Every structure is written in C-alpha cells, then in structure tokens.
Amino acid sequence: MSNSGHNFGGMQNEIYNAGLQGILPDFPVDFATLEDRAHEALGPMLTNYVAGGCGDEHTQDTNASAFHHWGMTPRMMVDCTERDLSINLFGMDLPTPLFMAPIGLNGEATQDRHGDMAAARASAMTGVPFCVSTLSNDPMEDVFPACGETPAMFQLYTPRNRELATSLIKRAEKSGAKAIVVTLDTWLTGWRPRDLNASNFPQLRGKVLHNYFSDPVFRSLLEKPPGEDPRAAIMLFAGIFGQVLTWDDMEFFKSVTDLPIVLKGICHPDDAKRAIDHGADAIYCSNHGGRQANGGISTIDLLPDIVAASGDLPVLFDSGVRSGTDAIKAIALGATAVGIGRPYTYGLAIGGDKGAAWVLRSILAEADLLMAVNGYPTLKAVREAGAQRTV
C-alpha cells in the first residue's frame, strides 16, 4: 500500500484475477478504445461538440501528441514498494494529483442527461476532485453534495452582469466549492467547424443552462420563468454570456469571495507573473483543449515556463492528457495538479458514474505503476527526475 493508503496500480491485479473467472472488464482501459465506444454512445451531434476542436483541430491534436516528445529516465535499485501520489492544494490533503477538468457538456453525456451528477458521484467514488462547470444540466446545489467527501471546485464563465456573476460565485461558495476557477479564454466561442457544419450549438437549444435558469438574479431579468418562455431565457443567456476580462477585474473577484481564485487559460509566463501581482491564488495552464483557438503551442510545451514564472503558487494543468503516463510527465515538468478532460466525459458516455470512475482509476493505475517501475516513490521524486525533450 502507498503512504496515502491507496494502491492504485492494484487495479491490474483485480482485472487479471477476474479474468481467471471468465470476467472481462465492462469498460476499456486505453484511450483509443474508450474514444471509439464513447463516440458511438454519444451519437454524431454530441460527438461533434465533445470531441471537436477549433479550426482544423491541429492544436487539439498537438496537445495530445506533444506528450510523446517528452521522456523520463528510469532509475533502478530504488525501493518503490510504496508510492505516494498525494498532494496538498489550497490546504486540502488530496490522495492524488488528478482532478476532473470542467466540461460544459457533461450533463448531456449520460443516457439520463444528468451527467453532472454522475461526474460528481465518480468524484466521490475515486477521491479525484471535480471542477463543476457553470454549464450544467443540474443546479450546483445538487452537484456539489453528490461529490461526497471529495472536495470540489467551481468553474466560472463570467457573465456580463456583475450581479449575476456575484450570485453564481456566492451559490458555489455556499454549496461547498473550495476554489473559483475563472475561465479567461471563452468570452466568445472559437471557430468550431464540426459544430458549424451541423449548425448545432447546444446552449442555444437550451442545453446545460440550469445554473442560469435556477439563478434568482437571472430569473429577475426575465418577464416569465424559463419554463414558461424558454426561448426568452435562452436569448437572455446568449446576450449575457461572456464578459471580456482584464486584469482590473481581479479586484472584483477578490472582493466577492475569500475562496482561492484560479485563473484558467494562462499560457504565457508574463501573464502568470501578472496574475500573481493581481492576487491570483493559482495559475491554470490550459488552452481549453484546443477548442477555443487553433494554431497554438501544446500546453505541455508551455508548462515549464509557466511553472518557472509562478514561484510558489500552485500550477494546475490540462489539455491533451490521455493517460497516466501523460499525467506523470506533467508532474515531472512542474504541475501541481493535472486535469483530466475528455477521457472522463467519455467514461460518462459509456457507463455513467461507474464508467467515469473506471477511466479515472485506469489513469491512476498507469501513473502509479509508471512511478513504481521507473523508481519514483513520490511525486517529489518525479519532479526531481524531471522530463527531457526527446525530439
């Protein structure tokens, strides 16, 4: 067992032992098979949105493939019978460095269209924190409690109405959020050919808008409740979504909550430094999985400079993580915590909460076994070993 009381790599023994009884896994452990099965379960329209990216999707693809040109060197004769994957984030002791990145269409990913609740339950089952999205099919007041004892964060798409922004933050705070993750790169949506060719933007069809429709400030701006005039409610959402944020807005965020403020979308070291100067509590290095801007550099290649510029602040990271090996490479390059995105949503699509939990457990098992075989008993050892560019 590891120092944190978990033997994540033991999952493989469970699978092999079950095989002796003729029992095969219900869900795949590799991303390629997971993706194929999820696309079949989601259907064409949802696949376009969840799997799609910006432009010709070069940035999205590069996010994932760039992990292959970073390598780690094994060290031998190190006692790795116990591995400790635990971290401390915002004063919270967490069993692993993984978290579930915010995904705005989780709600539609499960067969019952309550994917946010399923993701929260998967978080409770695995101990992997969930970053709850503003865009949800269930109110945050229901989603946060479903995470059980596992801490959760709230991702904010800052609306143009300050009173509504304050309401969303206060609701998250009251519901138990441990941090507010402010997404910086989505005050409007990037050019997404898959969705454009299908003329389908789910929010304009009323999907995943429950946090807005249930908000007292939002409802006060409507003549009739959303249930009586959904079109008017959707149009209000479309008109109010997406505040253009500048550094001056940090004063507002710091004034309405004492929760840690995490800035998501930081890709340049100068922006990391300015974030620190303006009171950010953590830097979140991400290019939105390649969904917002094409032509960018993969986040794993940007990460080392962000870490160097961030000083003692935690650095959260996502975009392109497909495996436990990817996650450990991100830790080696200095990330404090690593966000899993599409993989767990694909897990939701093929198996609800159990499918998402299986995907998270698989990623953790691979990460744990990589550390064991490579001679890294702790995440500190991973960071000290580092990773080097191989091509």
Side-chain angles (χ1 to χ4, degrees):
M1 297 293 284
S2 75
N3 295 337
S4 53
H6 297 275
N7 176 20
F8 300 108
M11 181 182 181
Q12 70 173 352
N13 298 330
E14 294 174 28
I15 294 171
Y16 288 139
N17 289 333
L20 298 176
Q21 312 301 317
I23 301 169
L24 297 180
D26 291 330
F27 311 115
V29 299
D30 68 295
F31 181 75
T33 311
L34 172 69
E35 186 174 45
D36 288 344
R37 282 184 55 180
H39 290 182
E40 188 177 336
L42 288 167
M45 293 287 255
L46 285 175
T47 292
N48 283 339
Y49 191 88
V50 176
C54 196
D56 67 0
E57 301 182 353
H58 173 75
T59 298
Q60 173 177 306
D61 295 340
T62 302
N63 276 339
S65 64
F67 282 92
H68 295 149
H69 62 233
W70 289 97
M72 301 187 70
T73 304
R75 301 302 302 269
M76 295 298 107
M77 307 293 279
V78 180
D79 184 356
C80 288
T81 50
E82 294 184 353
R83 280 86 60 197
D84 186 358
L85 277 71
S86 64
I87 66 167
N88 184 280
L89 182 64
F90 308 132
M92 302 180 293
D93 291 320
L94 303 173
T96 85
L98 298 190
F99 67 96
M100 301 164 75
I103 293 188
L105 212 72
N106 277 334
E108 292 290 302
T110 54
Q111 298 302 314
D112 66 358
R113 298 297 183 260
H114 291 285
D116 311 288
M117 298 297 291
R121 291 192 299 270
S123 175
M125 292 158 67
T126 59
V128 175
F130 180 29
C131 192
V132 179
S133 176
T134 304
L135 296 170
S136 171
N137 272 353
D138 287 280
M140 65 177 87
E141 287 81 2
D142 292 344
V143 178
F144 279 102
C147 294
E149 295 182 4
T150 305
M153 299 177 280
F154 179 67
Q155 174 270 334
L156 177 70
Y157 285 124
T158 309
R160 296 175 189 176
N161 181 304
R162 275 277 170 91
E163 194 182 352
L164 176 56
T166 301
S167 180
L168 290 168
I169 291 170
K170 290 296 186 185
R171 287 172 61 196
E173 195 175 63
K174 190 176 179 182
S175 299
K178 301 300 184 186
I180 304 296
V181 176
V182 182
T183 296
L184 305 177
D185 61 5
T186 314
W187 54 275
L188 81 176
T189 53
W191 183 256
R192 301 176 186 172
R194 292 201 211 191
D195 293 328
L196 290 163
N197 288 337
S199 190
N200 177 50
F201 193 71
Q203 290 88 314
L204 294 181
R205 297 170 186 256
K207 310 294 187 185
V208 298
L209 298 182
H210 207 99
N211 279 325
Y212 297 91
F213 290 179
S214 62
D215 193 276
V217 174
F218 185 89
R219 293 171 72 93
S220 74
L221 301 173
L222 294 167
E223 290 185 11
K224 297 178 181 177
E228 292 180 26
D229 191 350
R231 192 69 196 153
I234 292 168
M235 288 299 98
L236 175 60
F237 158 78
I240 214 168
F241 180 85
Q243 172 66 37
V244 178
L245 295 172
T246 68
W247 294 112
D248 292 339
D249 289 297
M250 278 298 289
E251 187 178 347
F252 161 71
F253 293 122
K254 300 293 282 186
S255 72
V256 295
T257 182
D258 291 328
L259 290 175
I261 301 295
V262 182
L263 296 185
K264 180 177 186 284
I266 301 289
C267 292
H268 194 288
D270 288 351
D271 288 344
K273 291 172 184 174
R274 292 196 73 175
I276 294 169
D277 291 341
H278 284 80
D281 298 287
I283 305 300
Y284 192 152
C285 179
S286 169
N287 64 18
H288 215 113
R291 291 176 55 73
Q292 275 297 89
N294 200 31
I297 301 167
S298 65
T299 44
I300 193 65
D301 290 339
L302 296 169
L303 178 61
D305 286 344
I306 296 296
V307 170
S310 297
D312 294 332
L313 249 61
V315 175
L316 283 64
F317 169 86
D318 76 17
S319 300
V321 179
R322 301 289 181 259
S323 67
T325 299
D326 292 346
I328 293 300
K329 287 179 180 179
I331 296 291
L333 291 174
T336 306
V338 180
I340 308 301
R342 288 182 180 91
Y344 86 80
T345 299
Y346 288 160
L348 292 174
I350 66 172
D353 53 5
K354 292 181 177 62
W358 177 271
V359 169
L360 294 170
R361 288 186 64 212
S362 299
I363 291 170
L364 284 170
E366 182 181 343
D368 186 30
L369 293 170
L370 173 70
M371 287 172 62
V373 173
N374 267 13
Y376 313 139
T378 64
L379 296 183
K380 182 173 182 286
V382 170
R383 292 191 181 94
E384 287 173 353
Q388 61 192 85
R389 191 72 184 253
T390 58
V391 291

